[in-house]
Amino acid sequence: MIYLFFCVVSVKNFLFSLCCTVVFSILFDRFIRPDRSGWRGYTLHTLSILIFYGATLALTGGFWVACILTDALFLALVIASNIKFRVLGEPLVFSDLAVAASFLRYPRFYLAAIPTFLKIILIPAALLVFGCVITFSSTAPTTHFAGLLILLISLLSLSAGWKFYWRSNVMLRPGLEADIVRYGLLPVLLIYTLRWRATPSPAPAQPLPAREPDTDPAPFLVIVQCESFADPTDLVPNHPLAPLHNFERLKKNSDRYGALSVSGFGAYTMRTEYAVLCGRSEEELGFRAFDPFLTVQDEHTFGLPNRLAALYKKRLFVHPHDLRFYGRDRLMPALGFTTLVGPDDFADVETVGPYISDKAIGDYLHDHIMAAKEPELIYVVTMENHGPWDAGRLDAPDALKAWERHVQNSDALLGSLDSTLRDCGYPAHLIFFGDHRPSIPGYSTPSKIRSTPFISLPYYIHGTKDFSSISQITPSELHRLILALLWQN
């Protein structure tokens, strides 16, 4: 009789905790941004929730531990996605989980986006969840077995649904915001991951041939990807800032300038970087477009240094920050760079704010180019103007003024490189562009307008150039423009 009583109590606890887990997760999902519309996707959502509930129940043996852990984790995902959408204009996507380790290595990059009240309750909430795990876990074998059974049934159901319906009917192409609205966060994270894993790699790209012996050598090619470089005159409507004098001055010397239509806002440097280096558009990448560095090893033949290896014996990648970030220490050699110039090469130079200054970059490039014996390919990623732009940085009264002072230093770098390449004695070509607009809460917030300036400057000893033209191009089109310039000259 007593045994039967405890069996009934356990079944009630099990069913009630299971019901609470699913119901509360659905309530949390209704708070996702952009706003959910309708009730599509909740079969996928429920199966995903049950998989985690079953796994935690199998490990802990506690019905309420599984409930609290499952809903707490999902609530954390919803909060993180909403913060990201507010700051960067994009909800959470599967590739964000791949760079979670960078949060521990460089928390400064992310903590500024977290509201103060969340920072205050974060540790107490974690301790509360940990306390629940310790208090309510159980060694009873029946509860562990129940969790394992739920896990297996949910996985089998999900696999069958994917094989017979979702794979051929749901989220066939990327449309992140629209899919979040239609299906919710968990289905998008799951299906996008499966689509990404199933994306085939393209056929290898072919390198450019060497130049004929009787033709001029390739020009000294310098490409500068400038951190958070944007036009201050149109960054904040109704809040005028000083123009970029060197950029404005050099427009008349350029063969092309205008707006670079980057996909990210406030972050996702690697999307612009990949597109300029490899030239594959977002349409070609499909689900790989969210973080193309995750699969760039499969596409290394598209890398500009690999394709230009016959024209440039020396191909440098310069970045004065930890090259492990985005895995650049591994990926850049695979793309064809022969030399990596990282923070160790700038150990004794000045910083402006928290990071290596753009002036230090300009000084390094001046010395290196002037000492070069033959033209080289140099790709530079600057760091000085990386956020967050706290009030007081560079003694600025607010974040916008701090960003403005840094962007003027970036403009000075452009002027310095112009002087260096005019005096180097080689035919040369400079490409200078911004990787994304800055996210400055209260001033620069996500919108459909995300373009950054770019300029293409030729320095040829012989010949004439056409008049400069204004363009609006994508980063992958900039890659093709670079190849075209080398082919023509």
Side-chain angles (χ1 to χ4, degrees):
M1 195 72 172
I2 295 175
Y3 175 76
L4 181 62
F5 172 77
F6 279 109
C7 285
V8 171
V9 170
S10 295
V11 169
K12 284 185 177 180
N13 278 334
F14 165 60
L15 294 176
F16 190 43
S17 70
L18 186 62
C19 181
C20 286
T21 303
V22 174
V23 169
F24 276 99
S25 72
I26 290 174
L27 289 176
F28 295 153
D29 186 69
R30 302 305 295 185
F31 287 96
I32 199 71
R33 297 292 180 270
D35 294 336
R36 285 280 272 124
S37 175
W39 295 90
R40 295 179 68 183
Y42 280 114
T43 301
L44 262 172
H45 170 92
T46 301
L47 287 174
S48 302
I49 287 292
L50 290 179
I51 286 170
F52 193 81
Y53 175 89
T56 52
L57 182 57
L59 289 172
T60 66
F63 297 127
W64 293 107
V65 171
C67 174
I68 292 170
L69 277 178
T70 300
D71 282 339
L73 177 63
F74 180 62
L75 179 59
L77 287 176
V78 170
I79 292 172
S81 184
N82 287 350
I83 290 173
K84 184 189 167 197
F85 186 73
R86 173 178 58 83
V87 175
L88 303 180
E90 182 177 294
L92 204 65
V93 69
F94 69 94
S95 58
D96 293 320
L97 306 180
V99 294
S102 64
F103 178 86
L104 299 175
R105 190 176 295 162
Y106 298 105
R108 174 182 169 81
F109 290 177
Y110 308 94
L111 287 176
I114 301 176
T116 302
F117 80 93
L118 283 180
K119 295 177 187 176
I120 294 172
I121 68 171
L122 186 61
I123 293 178
L127 291 174
L128 178 62
V129 170
F130 181 73
C132 289
V133 172
I134 298 299
T135 304
F136 297 108
S137 291
S138 170
T139 57
T142 53
T143 55
H144 291 273
F145 178 76
L148 184 60
L149 192 62
I150 291 171
L151 174 62
L152 292 175
I153 292 173
S154 302
L155 282 172
L156 288 173
S157 301
L158 185 64
S159 299
W162 171 251
K163 181 177 181 180
F164 295 109
Y165 180 72
W166 292 312
R167 181 168 59 184
S168 57
N169 293 283
V170 176
M171 302 183 225
L172 301 178
R173 289 174 295 278
L176 184 57
E177 286 191 34
D179 286 335
I180 289 284
V181 170
R182 282 194 295 264
Y183 300 105
L185 181 60
L186 279 184
V188 168
L189 290 174
L190 175 64
I191 298 297
Y192 274 43
T193 302
L194 295 173
R195 298 279 184 213
W196 171 74
R197 289 176 61 86
T199 302
S201 297
Q206 299 302 311
L208 266 65
R211 296 199 173 200
E212 297 294 332
D214 58 342
T215 58
D216 292 334
F220 217 115
L221 180 58
V222 181
I223 305 169
V224 179
Q225 175 183 309
C226 195
E227 174 64 43
S228 299
F229 187 72
D231 186 349
T233 63
D234 72 358
L235 183 68
V236 184
N238 304 318
H239 197 111
L241 298 172
L244 302 171
H245 295 292
N246 284 306
F247 190 89
E248 295 299 322
R249 172 179 62 85
L250 292 172
K251 283 180 180 178
K252 64 180 182 295
N253 297 332
S254 70
D255 56 20
R256 191 80 62 90
Y257 71 90
L260 189 67
S261 299
V262 302
S263 67
F265 173 86
Y268 292 119
T269 295
M270 74 289 199
R271 294 179 185 174
T272 305
E273 190 170 323
Y274 169 90
V276 175
L277 281 172
C278 295
R280 297 190 71 218
S281 67
E282 292 186 16
E283 291 75 19
E284 292 171 310
L285 286 167
F287 289 90
R288 290 184 171 188
F290 294 103
D291 188 348
F293 273 18
L294 294 177
T295 49
V296 74
Q297 290 276 18
D298 296 338
E299 304 171 9
H300 66 275
T301 58
F302 288 84
L304 201 62
N306 277 331
R307 300 199 69 188
L308 300 179
L311 302 182
Y312 297 102
K313 181 180 178 181
K314 294 183 178 180
R315 305 176 296 279
L316 277 68
F317 180 83
V318 181
H319 182 45
H321 191 63
D322 191 345
L323 293 173
R324 294 173 297 172
F325 207 77
Y326 294 139
R328 289 185 177 106
D329 57 335
R330 297 176 291 101
L331 300 179
M332 295 307 152
L335 290 176
F337 288 103
T338 59
T339 304
L340 303 187
V341 180
D344 292 344
D345 298 279
F346 295 92
D348 299 322
V349 304
E350 66 174 337
T351 60
V352 174
Y355 309 111
I356 300 298
S357 69
D358 286 351
K359 181 181 183 303
I361 292 282
D363 292 343
Y364 172 85
L365 293 174
H366 173 83
D367 295 342
H368 182 86
I369 292 170
M370 288 302 182
K373 304 299 183 184
E374 59 184 349
E376 301 175 6
L377 164 62
I378 305 177
Y379 193 99
V380 183
V381 179
T382 72
M383 191 64 190
E384 178 185 326
N385 206 6
H386 198 290
W389 299 272
D390 305 315
R393 181 166 163 175
L394 301 190
D395 298 322
D398 58 24
L400 180 62
K401 195 65 179 178
W403 173 84
E404 182 189 23
R405 291 176 182 176
H406 284 300
V407 84
Q408 292 297 334
N409 291 342
S410 300
D411 187 57
L413 169 61
L414 175 60
S416 169
L417 287 171
D418 173 62
S419 298
T420 297
L421 294 177
R422 277 193 285 107
D423 298 339
C424 71
Y426 292 108
H429 207 107
L430 171 63
I431 306 289
F432 195 100
F433 63 92
D435 59 350
H436 54 71
R437 293 189 175 203
S439 176
I440 308 175
Y443 293 105
S444 176
T445 54
S447 71
K448 298 300 181 183
I449 302 174
R450 299 186 173 189
S451 60
T452 61
F454 85 92
I455 192 167
S456 171
L457 289 160
Y459 302 86
Y460 297 117
I461 297 175
H462 304 293
T464 59
K465 72 174 186 67
D466 297 331
F467 293 108
S468 58
S469 60
I470 303 174
S471 300
Q472 180 162 345
I473 62 175
T474 65
S476 59
E477 289 170 339
L478 181 58
H479 171 97
R480 293 191 282 274
L481 172 65
I482 294 168
L483 293 179
L485 291 170
L486 292 173
W487 187 258
Q488 293 169 4
N489 294 288

